[in-house]
Amino acid sequence: PGSTLQNHLWSAVRGAVLTSATLTGCGQFDFFLREAGLWGDDAVTTLAVPSPFDYALQGTLVATETRAEPRDAQAFTAEMVDALLSDLALVEAGALVLFTSREQMRQAVDAMPTAMRGAVLVQNTLPRPQLLARHRERVADGLPSIIFGMQSFGEGLDLPGRLCESLFITKLPFAPPDDPVGEARAEWLRGAGRDPFSELVVPATAIRLAQWVGRAIRTEEDRAHVYCYDKRLVRTGYGQRLLAGLPPFALQRRAA
């Protein structure tokens, strides 16, 4: 959409302010500026305003590694689900688990022990407002309540305080490899001699991951643990770029 915006919007306004919690990818504005048709425009200035939250004090990022490679979906999911269920057994208040596929979420539900099932609310088993209302009621009553959700629960969901003391990210939220729009754009970049993974996939994933992680700390009083079971976050070069776009939580690493 960049050229359309440049021709019909930016060229027609005297001034504009664009603001969001997730305009940067990997800590940089480059990806957004390219998408929005503002790349290379001398009139553009950028500013990343520091957060009022003390993330190092308020939150912990627990990077849990698996023996299986995340690309080996079957082996990875089985190992990840075991680790996830062990961590969920310790939840005492509100928690949110974000999955990258329905199949992944289904396997976690199927593996859940009977004693845990009453504490888990699964996306689409209830209308979203009813599901969130039940979650709030359970936490208010001093009971553990765990939401299982996917992409739509990783954006715009406000669960402050005890409603989300633990956030679990089962796998890095890369776009599906069969996305036709993403593949067409990647083909265009390759045709221009550019690297679509570095220029397109990683920054887009960084923005999505930052949105997901943003569910954890919502006020200056919140305390939360964020768990990620995808070892690529701490074991790869692009994982370091993703980390650079996340709040500066205290980092704990758990080996396979």
Side-chain angles (χ1 to χ4, degrees):
S3 60
T4 301
L5 288 169
Q6 180 61 46
N7 293 332
H8 297 285
L9 180 59
W10 308 132
S11 61
V13 299
R14 292 175 61 90
V17 177
L18 292 81
T19 179
S20 170
T22 49
L23 285 183
T24 57
C26 306
Q28 305 292 325
F29 284 92
D30 300 19
F31 177 70
F32 171 75
L33 295 178
R34 291 183 190 276
E35 296 282 284
L38 293 170
W39 178 255
D41 190 327
D42 293 338
V44 173
T45 57
T46 60
L47 174 66
V49 180
S51 170
F53 303 151
D54 186 345
Y55 285 109
L57 176 65
Q58 293 180 244
T60 302
L61 174 60
V62 182
T64 299
E65 299 184 27
T66 59
R67 290 179 295 276
E69 293 295 329
R71 291 182 178 85
D72 183 353
Q74 184 174 357
F76 169 77
T77 299
E79 191 175 348
M80 177 275 292
V81 166
D82 284 344
L84 171 66
L85 294 181
S86 295
D87 290 331
L88 289 180
L90 304 176
V91 168
E92 297 180 350
L96 174 64
V97 186
L98 294 172
F99 295 90
T100 57
S101 73
R102 294 186 185 278
E103 175 60 20
Q104 189 188 53
M105 185 165 69
R106 183 196 64 77
Q107 291 186 41
V109 171
D110 289 348
M112 200 184 309
T114 302
M116 187 181 293
R117 291 178 181 269
V120 174
L121 298 165
V122 181
Q123 181 180 353
N124 294 333
T125 57
L126 288 172
R128 178 171 168 139
Q130 292 182 28
L131 186 148
L132 295 177
R134 185 169 296 182
H135 177 72
R136 294 186 178 97
E137 290 169 2
R138 289 185 58 83
V139 174
D141 290 340
L143 300 172
S145 183
I146 303 164
I147 296 174
F148 277 15
M150 296 192 301
Q151 174 70 25
S152 63
F153 276 73
E155 303 172 3
L157 188 62
D158 189 27
L159 297 172
R162 289 176 56 80
L163 293 175
C164 187
E165 289 187 341
S166 303
L167 172 68
F168 301 89
I169 297 172
T170 56
K171 198 174 184 180
L172 292 176
F174 288 102
D178 58 352
D179 169 41
V181 175
E183 181 52 37
R185 298 181 68 190
E187 184 178 347
W188 184 88
L189 286 169
R190 284 191 291 267
R194 293 156 63 181
D195 178 11
F197 185 77
S198 180
E199 287 193 40
L200 180 63
V201 176
V202 172
T205 302
I207 290 174
R208 194 175 300 114
L209 182 63
Q211 290 172 331
W212 283 23
V213 170
R215 301 314 101 207
I217 303 293
R218 309 297 295 175
T219 76
E220 294 180 29
E221 289 75 41
D222 284 0
R223 298 290 188 274
H225 286 79
V226 178
Y227 298 79
C228 180
Y229 298 93
D230 194 324
K231 64 182 178 182
R232 294 174 294 184
L233 185 64
V234 290
R235 289 283 187 179
T236 64
Y238 64 81
Q240 297 303 310
R241 291 178 61 193
L242 298 177
L243 276 174
L246 297 182
F249 292 123
L251 178 64
Q252 292 181 8
R253 294 181 64 169
R254 298 196 311 201

